[in-house]
Amino acid sequence: MAVLMLSSFLICLLAATLSAAQSQVVQVDDRVSGFVGTEVVLSCTFSNTNPTVKITQVTWQKLLNGTKQNVAIANPTMGVSVLPPYKDRVTFRNPAVGYSTPSLEDATIRLSGLRLSDEAAYICEYATFPAGNRENQLNLTVLAKPITRMTLTSPTITAQAGETSKKVVATCVSSNGKPPSVITWETKLKGEPTFQETRNPNGTVTVHSNYLVVPSREIHRQQLTCIVNYQSERITNSLTLNVLYEPEVTIEGFDGNWYLNRQDVKLTCKSDANPPVTVYQWKLLNGTMPVNVEVLNSTLFFKGPVTRDLAGTYVCEAANVIGTRSGLVEVNVTEFPNIPGGPRIPPDEHSSGSMAAVIGGAVGGVILLVLAAVLLFVFLRRRQRTFKGDYNTKKHVFGNGYSKAAGLPPHPPMPQSLHYPDDSDDEKKPAGISGLGGEQDFDPDSEDLKRPYFTVDEGESHEDFDGRTLSFQYDPEPEIADDMVSQNDGSVISKKEWYV
Ligand SMILES: *[C@@H]1O[C@H](CO)[C@@H](O)[C@H](O)[C@H]1NC(C)=O
Ligand SMILES: *[C@@H]1O[C@H](CO)[C@@H](O)[C@H](O)[C@H]1NC(C)=O
Ligand SMILES: *[C@@H]1O[C@H](CO)[C@@H](O)[C@H](O)[C@H]1NC(C)=O
Ligand SMILES: *[C@@H]1O[C@H](CO)[C@@H](O)[C@H](O)[C@H]1NC(C)=O
Ligand SMILES: *[C@@H]1O[C@H](CO)[C@@H](O)[C@H](O)[C@H]1NC(C)=O
Ligand SMILES: *[C@@H]1O[C@H](CO)[C@@H](O)[C@H](O)[C@H]1NC(C)=O
């Protein structure tokens, strides 16, 4: 019985204690933050369910490093007191706090002109009678917006030839931020950034980032963007690199087809340089410039017809402040035009999908061949009537008459034409194709220009002409005095000199 009474007494006591403890509560915001120089509101309210409990004083204290410092005090009879260094910066939000019959339930303060040193925990303490002291605390965080600056190391970067080491080309600095900002870079350059953080005594952090890249002509005009992420903000800064580099020189104009008497050929010196090249100098290696040459800026004009004197190695020298570089071209002068219409396709173009060029070349070749054959046929027919000499029963085929015929060993009699599969290599392509192409220049009247012999099997040429016909050359056969041979089967064999 006594045990029961004791336990019920204890329960009552506990309940009373609890209700007493819960009847007065100080409420604050957990955390408050503000930027340097701005104003923050530190709210604090007192809720009381027991009307007999009276507020005797409210005190705001700053808690830093375990030491408390009074900030502001409100007393129902004495009024409000704000202590230095808060004197001009702290006010109670509720004007009734300072009245003679105050209401201190809302002791919220405003703190203006926020300083980094204001960052601390703040205690809002209510002194009551008869319940005693009640308090709560909040954390004030002071933020500092960084100042971001991006700079190029210098207005221009000089790219030295052969340089391989990376150099700092740009710097991005985000100064005195709190919390620290995060820097990233955005660029197509293949460089690398470095990062360095410096903590200032006042708690702010300066983030310093360099961007390193190998100076080269490739990075000229490339954009470099520094992105500073601070809180939810994203500050971007872009700059364009300006790289100075020495000239890269190429010479245009020599097409490998400078034949005698060709008119108005020229060589042009092209350069890629920053700053641009202003002066070009032309030289002829191991020789003096031909007399009919005229230099105009970067172009070398050859006046009049091409002569053998033009052959040689031409050098163009281009200079800017960074350096001097030269390009050269070896000029060949040929006796006769080299007809580019023949289906000479470099092997690598087979795979590069330039089908149009391949087809175009093949079609052009076929047309040329057919045209040549028709001309020949007509020509031979005309000459046939005057034939009086020996019959030559040897098979003859088209061939490149002029450049190599004399040097080649005689071929044994072979099939007149041989077809390669369409994918045959260029190397197998007949020299005769370009020779045949050359027959478009065929002019029976200009008999002074002598060309070596070559022979033609006209009958075969009609049937087998296509772009891939292989023709063999035969040695000149001086014993055949006459030009034409008419065969029993109706075909015509020609053995004659060709002129251009
Ligand atoms: C206030 O900050 C202190 C450390 O600075 C931390 O221990 C405490 O939990 C914080 N209080 C709140 C309410 O965030
Ligand atoms: C806080 O205490 C630390 C050492 O515990 C000291 O280095 C620092 O200066 C103190 N800060 C202030 C504001 O007193
Ligand atoms: C913090 O310190 C740095 C240098 O120590 C100074 O430049 C900066 O202005 C300071 N920031 C504030 C908000 O006082
Ligand atoms: C050009 O001349 C130089 C000397 O003047 C000589 O060393 C060089 O071999 C010559 N080159 C040619 C292609 O003749
Ligand atoms: C050559 O250069 C001058 C200035 O340097 C320019 O006025 C002129 O038009 C140029 N001539 C040609 C043909 O490019
Ligand atoms: C010049 O012609 C020769 C003989 O025809 C040839 O071997 C050489 O490759 C040609 N050089 C150039 C640069 O075309």
Side-chain angles (χ1 to χ4, degrees), residues 325-403:
R325 289 275 291 272
S326 54
L328 59 81
V329 62
E330 214 175 295
V331 167
N332 261 2
V333 173
T334 54
E335 197 169 355
F336 303 108
N338 166 29
I339 301 305
R344 293 194 56 85
I345 304 135
D348 57 308
E349 276 185 36
H350 283 287
S351 52
S352 68
S354 58
M355 269 318 279
V358 174
I359 292 165
V363 169
V366 170
I367 291 170
L368 278 177
L369 287 170
V370 170
L371 200 72
V374 169
L375 276 172
L376 253 177
F377 183 77
V378 170
F379 178 68
L380 296 177
R381 269 293 151 94
R382 192 161 53 81
R383 298 286 300 267
Q384 192 174 8
R385 297 181 203 110
T386 62
F387 175 71
K388 296 185 192 91
D390 301 334
Y391 281 85
N392 173 19
T393 52
K394 258 188 182 170
K395 293 291 186 183
H396 301 287
V397 292
F398 267 93
N400 179 350
Y402 63 84
S403 62

